[in-house]
Structure formats: C-alpha cells, structure tokens
Amino acid sequence: MFRAGLVGCALLLAAASGAKAVEKAESPAGRGAYLVNTIMACGSCHTPRDGDGKPIAGKALSGGFTFNTPAFVATASNITPDKETGIGSWSDAEIKRALVEGSRPNHGRLAGVQLAAIMPANFYKALLPDDLDAVIAYLRSVTPIRSEVRDPVYKVPVRRDPYPDADAGFSKAMLANPVGRGAYLVTIGHCMECHSAWSRGVSDFKAGLGRGGRAFPLREGSPDAGPASIAANITSHPTSGIGGWTDAEIIRAITQGIGRDGRTLKPPMAYGYYAAVSAADLAAIVAYLRTVPP
Ligand code: HEC
Ligand code: HEC
C-alpha cells in the first residue's frame, strides 16, 4: 500500500488542493471530501487498486480490500451511490448507523447483519454531527459505480473494542484547543487502533495506548508484498516513542512515510492520504501525540 501511496501521491495532492479550496468555502460536501480523502482515508480500504497498488482511476470508493482474519473474511464495500451495488438506496440515517454503529439497514444485501469490526465504527462514533453530515453529503456526491463485492464470511460474533475518547465524545468547543483538536483527529483517523497494544484480537486502549507492537500481515488480494510491519510506539516516550522527535520529523513520518532515520515506512498506514491533511490539523495531531503518556 505504501508503493500505492507514493505513486498515487501526485493525484492525491491535486485532489487535496481542490478539497482544501472547497473546505474554505465550508460547504458540507467540501468538508466531507477533506475528511474522507485525508485523515479518515476511507479509500485506503474502500478503493480498488491495480497490480502496482495504484488506486484505479475512476473507481474511487467502489469496493476495495478483502481482509482475511481469524474472525472474518470481509471485503470493503462499494460505498458509491450506485442503487444496486452501492449505498444509493440507503437513507442518510442508515448510512450514519453504518458509520457510527457498524450496522447495516434492514433491507437489501445482508439486511440487518453487523459489519465486520475492521470497519472502524468504534472510532467514527466520535464524529461531530456536522462532520457526520459532511461525510454523507460527500458520499452522495461521488460518481455512482456499479461493482459487486463478494459476500463476507463471519466466523465469530462481531466485537469492537471501545475507544475511550470516542465514548466520552467531543464538542466543537474542545476542538478550539490544538490538543483537543488533535485528539479528535487521531480518534476519527483511528490511529490508535493500529498503534495500541494488542493481544489475541483485543486492543488495550488504556494502559497500552499508542505503545505499538501490533503486527500487520499481508492483506488478501493486496499487492503489498513483503514481511509484516510492526506498528511503532507513538507515545511521548523519549526513546521508545516519538518524544525525542522534532515536530517536522513526526509530520514527515505521517505524511511521507519516512522514518526518523530516513527509512521508508511500510504499509498499511495511509501515508498517501495523510499527505493532504492541512498544516493546522497536522500541528494539532502532533500537539496531542505529545500528551500521550510514555
Ligand atoms: C480499515 C478499513 C476501512 C476503513 C478505513 C473504512 N472502512 Fe468502511 N468498511 C470496511 C469493510 C471491510 C466493510 C465491510 C464489512 C463487512 O462486510 O462486514 C465496510 C463497510 C462500510 C459500509 C457499509 C456498506 C455496505 O454496503 O455494507 C459503509 C457505509 C462504509 N464502510 C463507509 C466507510 C466510510 C465513509 C469510511 C471513511 C470515513 C470507511 N468506511 C472507512 C473497511 C473500512
Ligand atoms: C492501519 C494501521 C495504522 C494506522 C491506521 C496508522 N498507523 Fe501509523 N504506523 C503503522 C505502522 C505499521 C507503522 C510502522 C511502519 C514501519 O515501521 O515501517 C506506523 C508508523 C507510524 C509513525 C512512525 C513512527 C516510527 O517510530 O517510525 C508515526 C509517527 C505514526 N505511524 C503515526 C500515526 C498517526 C498519527 C496515525 C493516524 C493519523 C497513524 N499512524 C495511523 C500503522 C498504522
């Protein structure tokens, strides 16, 4: 996926400058485009890629990776507004429930069946009402694409680990402060899902917040060849974490996938999407990460 990030970078940057221009005008769909295509990186799961790992032009959000885990085999759905194979026949309330509760509507394909836990609803429940509306407005505005994804197979009941900041919730007032804004962005970017201590399928978002160590094997159907990558410690610890890094080094790792020592960071982190996060939002993310206990 990292290769994809590099190759897709120019495209994403072009898309991002467009998104930022709209964001200034504060239209809901513009704000939604910014969230979906940068910090929330929906396409890193929901957009199909070609053999080189490049997002396929004209196929954005039409169904992506198949995740093959001990708990489920699930393919990221077609979330374009196509009526039959996408979410075009879902109401706003139904799309919202999928995002923040991880549930499907009571009609159509797989009616009423919970979505696999890989769809990060336990983080998205933190979305402020305006941002949730913005994401929906943007999803409604993308080109409908006909594309059927294969049905999921569930092996155990769905379980999402509660994320304390998402459960506590955010308010607009909290976002006025950089640390609060950073906490919000790190929540809706589900950064800590990968970066926290993880054992036998259970995340420790309290004592193990940001501690790293979780290994990511290859994804089925993914062109990301090579050995598994291990999520880094991104707490404020001065040596094991990023406490000793400069702000610029942290931002370069997030947006360009370059480690402190200059090495190329591995997937599955969505560097190519984060490349278009605004400078103010990146500064807020860094401000929050500096407060994560070592
Ligand atoms: C880490 C990967 C991942 C990310 C990131 C992700 N999704 Fe998903 N999403 C999935 C998978 C996989 C499914 C299908 C789960 C299943 O079939 O049980 C899914 C299902 C959905 C569904 C239900 C659609 C249907 O027909 O079943 C919606 C709506 C959705 N995602 C929207 C989004 C949006 C919007 C974003 C970004 C804000 C997003 N997703 C980010 C993996 C992801
Ligand atoms: C899908 C899993 C995943 C998500 C989501 C994710 N990361 Fe990462 N991240 C990784 C992995 C794996 C690495 C290590 C890659 C390597 O070592 O080659 C990494 C590396 C990093 C690094 C470099 C640290 C170091 O010591 O090299 C930083 C900083 C970082 N991530 C911050 C973030 C932030 C902030 C977010 C949210 C905006 C985020 N990550 C989201 C998996 C993820």
Side-chain angles (χ1 to χ4, degrees):
M1 188 183 272
F2 175 66
R3 255 188 310 157
L6 266 191
V7 186
C9 212
L11 272 177
L12 279 165
L13 283 175
S17 49
K20 266 180 210 153
V22 191
E23 192 201 3
K24 281 196 193 104
E26 292 280 287
S27 86
R31 170 74 179 159
Y34 174 71
L35 293 171
V36 166
N37 296 321
T38 71
I39 185 69
M40 299 185 78
C42 311
S44 72
C45 293
H46 283 279
T47 296
R49 291 167 191 275
D50 64 18
D52 294 330
K54 260 200 308 188
I56 301 175
K59 295 265 181 198
L61 305 177
S62 67
F65 281 110
T66 296
F67 297 85
N68 194 339
T69 78
F72 55 81
V73 182
T75 302
S77 325
N78 177 349
I79 55 170
T80 73
D82 183 67
K83 286 221 157 41
E84 276 163 36
T85 62
I87 55 172
S89 65
W90 296 22
S91 68
D92 286 2
E94 286 167 346
I95 303 175
K96 284 183 189 176
R97 275 198 297 275
L99 286 172
V100 305
E101 292 170 14
S103 54
R104 287 189 177 85
N106 290 319
H107 60 82
R109 179 178 170 260
L110 301 159
V113 177
Q114 280 287 305
L115 296 166
I118 187 84
M119 170 61 194
N122 43 336
F123 294 83
Y124 295 167
K125 73 184 281 198
L127 279 168
L128 291 174
D130 285 354
D131 281 347
L132 192 51
D133 287 339
V135 168
I136 310 257
Y138 175 65
L139 291 178
R140 295 255 186 243
S141 78
V142 306
T143 312
I145 296 168
R146 211 191 141 74
S147 163
E148 234 159 299
V149 303
R150 62 169 132 150
D151 279 349
V153 178
Y154 303 116
K155 301 173 204 169
V156 295
V158 177
R159 201 206 71 253
R160 288 184 167 79
D161 297 320
Y163 188 65
D165 276 2
D167 288 348
F170 289 87
S171 65
K172 270 196 176 153
M174 289 164 81
L175 269 58
N177 158 302
V179 172
R181 187 173 187 84
Y184 177 69
L185 294 165
V186 164
T187 301
I188 66 173
H190 70 111
C191 312
M192 295 304 189
E193 176 167 35
C194 294
H195 283 282
S196 296
W198 189 83
S199 164
R200 294 181 192 177
V202 182
S203 291
D204 178 358
F205 295 131
K206 288 186 179 138
L209 186 75
R211 199 176 66 188
R214 181 167 175 182
F216 290 86
L218 298 180
R219 290 169 173 185
E220 190 194 328
S222 153
D224 304 327
S229 57
I230 312 283
N233 179 332
I234 56 167
T235 70
S236 58
H237 191 280
T239 51
S240 308
I242 55 175
W245 296 34
T246 65
D247 290 4
E249 285 168 341
I250 299 172
I251 289 172
R252 184 177 72 160
I254 297 171
T255 59
Q256 297 176 45
I258 300 175
R260 196 184 192 195
D261 56 4
R263 82 189 165 96
T264 296
L265 299 175
K266 289 185 214 144
M269 193 167 142
Y271 313 100
Y273 288 84
Y274 302 150
V277 173
S278 73
D281 282 351
L282 286 168
I285 289 171
V286 171
Y288 165 73
L289 290 178
R290 298 223 181 270
T291 70
V292 177

